[in-house]
Amino acid sequence: MTQLQRDIWGLDTSELQATWFSEGEIGKAAQAGPSPPPGPVLDQPCCSSSSGSSMVRSLLRAIPPVPDKLVVRQRTPRGAWKVGTLCHGRKVSAIAVSGSTHHVYTCGTGYIRVWDESALQAWDKFPQAQLDLQHPYDCVLTCKLFPDERSLITGGKAQTLTLWDLVPTPRVRTNLASTGTMCHSLAISSDAQICLACFKGFVEIWDLQNQILIRKHEVPIYGSRCVDITGNKFWTGGEDTILYSWDLRNYQRLHQYSLQNEIVSITHDPSEEWLLVAMRNSNIMILHTHRMEKFKVIIERFNFFHNLKFASCGNYFVTTLDETIRGLAAPSLQRLFQVQESSEIFCCDVSTDNKYLVTGSKNSATVYQLLY
């Protein structure tokens, strides 16, 4: 049993319910079972004699304990305090927050607004800048900050994907001519070499360094609402309720998982070991990206908007369901905080320094400072 499994089984029943699935329930994905853990075969002794065991015990006793003050523990937030509002003026359909500069980028129809840190803890500040899109009717539906937070890529209802330089002054670097008219989701590799853009029925694979289209990869037409990338794999899902994994090197389909509900969002933890999949009925499926392991967080409440965002520290993630924000610890799934907003939440992001959580809604973005 892995540490994640132990944490799940140890959950208090007052927390969110988690259900484990056996190998037989994985369906077509169960092409190979999990490999046995390293070590001796069960029912065989580790040592051939009792003297070996005594030697191990004596060595363990000789190891000095590590003082508590020297143990570095990652903190998890215990609450979220509303500190400001960013008046975007139109629906905020995508959002990005920089941890290094604490700039917020609110995206929607016609323009992107840039907010500096002084606006985050205020209610009536003007944006630092406004970046007009190529056409006034273009709409950004998805955006991704590069790992160094010096660049941003946006996609949506437009004929192009737009690559923005953010420093020293935000400006368009280039427009990448896409073959689709509406990009639903974007994903960037951890080394910022590859970008995936998800359209209805296909995924565009871009070389960001050379700004060239590598491949237009066909995927099931109703399995192309969202996309994510982990190492040499990428993942797609959508209305057909099936999560697909693909090999980024030879573009072959690796596995498919029938989740029995529409997939609306996919994201991964910073280690790229675990994948979170949000579904229309509010449930969250958690899958291991290499082993045949998965379990489900059961919420069972139909919703229109379901967003997921993993914190950069990897020990918690944020989920938004219509008007509700929840912070959940990883991997224990303990509820850390919950906030209710007055209107539907369309998008969210957490700064990489884990200081701010920002949500986008009908006309504005709401800024929360995370409390520890």
Side-chain angles (χ1 to χ4, degrees), residues 195-209:
C195 175
L196 304 180
C198 197
F199 298 83
K200 190 169 185 178
F202 64 91
V203 172
E204 289 183 346
I205 303 174
W206 287 88
D207 177 345
L208 290 176
Q209 298 303 307

Side-chain angles (χ1 to χ4, degrees), residues 65-356:
V66 179
D68 285 343
K69 63 182 180 180
L70 298 181
V71 178
V72 178
R73 294 184 174 90
Q74 292 282 358
R75 297 183 304 164
T76 54
R78 57 180 174 81
W81 177 38
K82 184 176 179 178
V83 294
T85 298
L86 308 175
C87 297
H88 184 75
R90 296 177 180 174
K91 175 183 175 179
V92 181
S93 51
I95 202 162
V97 187
S98 165
S100 55
T101 62
H102 291 147
H103 280 64
V104 175
Y105 305 89
T106 55
C107 310
T109 300
Y111 54 80
I112 298 171
R113 286 188 168 176
V114 183
W115 309 82
D116 62 16
E117 189 170 14
S118 67
L120 301 191
Q121 299 197 25
W123 308 92
D124 55 358
K125 286 277 189 176
F126 289 100
Q128 183 186 49
Q130 179 171 303
L131 312 177
D132 292 328
L133 303 181
Q134 193 170 15
H135 301 289
Y137 51 82
D138 288 349
C139 179
V140 175
L141 299 176
T142 175
C143 67
K144 287 290 182 183
L145 274 176
F146 280 45
D148 63 3
E149 300 188 337
R150 299 174 64 88
S151 302
L152 177 77
I153 188 168
T154 60
K157 297 178 183 177
Q159 295 291 337
T160 63
L161 306 176
T162 303
L163 193 56
W164 304 83
D165 285 327
L166 301 180
V167 291
T169 303
R171 63 179 181 86
V172 174
R173 183 193 305 175
T174 188
N175 287 304
L176 306 175
S178 58
T179 58
T181 58
M182 184 181 296
C183 176
H184 300 285
S185 177
L186 290 168
I188 297 179
S189 61
S190 57
D191 59 4
Q193 299 289 322
I194 299 294
C195 175
L196 304 180
C198 197
F199 298 83
K200 190 169 185 178
F202 64 91
V203 172
E204 289 183 346
I205 303 174
W206 287 88
D207 177 345
L208 290 176
Q209 298 303 307
N210 299 304
Q211 300 171 15
I212 60 173
L213 179 63
I214 300 173
R215 180 182 174 88
K216 179 181 177 180
H217 180 72
E218 291 188 4
V219 299
I221 191 169
Y222 294 109
S224 54
R225 181 191 179 102
C226 41
V227 67
D228 199 17
I229 181 172
T230 57
N232 292 319
K233 294 180 182 179
F234 67 98
W235 309 75
T236 61
E239 294 90 339
D240 67 1
T241 76
I242 298 174
L243 177 71
Y244 303 90
S245 68
W246 310 84
D247 194 314
L248 194 55
R249 296 160 296 188
N250 59 24
Y251 310 112
Q252 298 298 308
R253 184 187 300 180
L254 297 173
H255 304 295
Q256 63 184 54
Y257 305 80
S258 178
L259 304 187
Q260 300 177 343
N261 209 279
E262 180 182 348
I263 298 169
V264 296
S265 180
I266 306 173
T267 191
H268 63 271
D269 75 325
S271 71
E272 300 188 350
E273 185 178 5
W274 294 96
L275 197 75
L276 300 181
V277 183
M279 291 174 281
R280 178 68 71 194
N281 67 350
S282 300
N283 292 344
I284 301 171
M285 188 68 70
I286 306 179
L287 301 96
H288 199 280
T289 57
H290 303 297
R291 299 193 301 268
M292 293 300 168
E293 296 180 23
K294 69 175 182 178
F295 60 95
K296 181 165 60 178
V297 181
I298 298 176
I299 302 174
E300 294 294 357
R301 180 172 68 86
F302 185 85
N303 70 93
F304 287 99
F305 302 101
H306 192 175
N307 300 282
L308 290 171
K309 177 63 181 181
F310 231 113
S312 62
C313 60
N315 62 0
Y316 73 95
F317 63 91
V318 173
T319 174
T320 69
L321 303 168
D322 291 341
E323 303 91 0
T324 305
I325 308 167
R326 289 188 178 93
L328 302 177
S332 68
L333 301 181
Q334 178 187 3
R335 185 175 298 169
L336 301 173
F337 61 86
Q338 180 170 317
V339 179
Q340 196 76 16
E341 289 198 0
S342 58
S343 59
E344 290 175 326
I345 301 167
F346 302 124
C347 55
C348 69
D349 197 16
V350 178
S351 61
T352 52
D353 64 352
N354 301 296
K355 183 177 180 179
Y356 291 109

Side-chain angles (χ1 to χ4, degrees), residues 14-88:
S14 62
E15 299 296 341
L16 298 178
Q17 182 181 354
T19 305
W20 277 93
F21 290 80
S22 66
E23 291 299 315
E25 292 176 286
I26 294 180
K28 296 181 181 179
Q31 297 176 4
S35 56
V41 180
L42 293 178
D43 299 328
Q44 291 185 358
C46 296
C47 304
S48 57
S49 66
S50 59
S51 60
S53 299
S54 301
M55 183 181 298
V56 171
R57 286 194 294 269
S58 63
L59 287 172
L60 290 175
R61 283 195 296 268
I63 299 174
V66 179
D68 285 343
K69 63 182 180 180
L70 298 181
V71 178
V72 178
R73 294 184 174 90
Q74 292 282 358
R75 297 183 304 164
T76 54
R78 57 180 174 81
W81 177 38
K82 184 176 179 178
V83 294
T85 298
L86 308 175
C87 297
H88 184 75

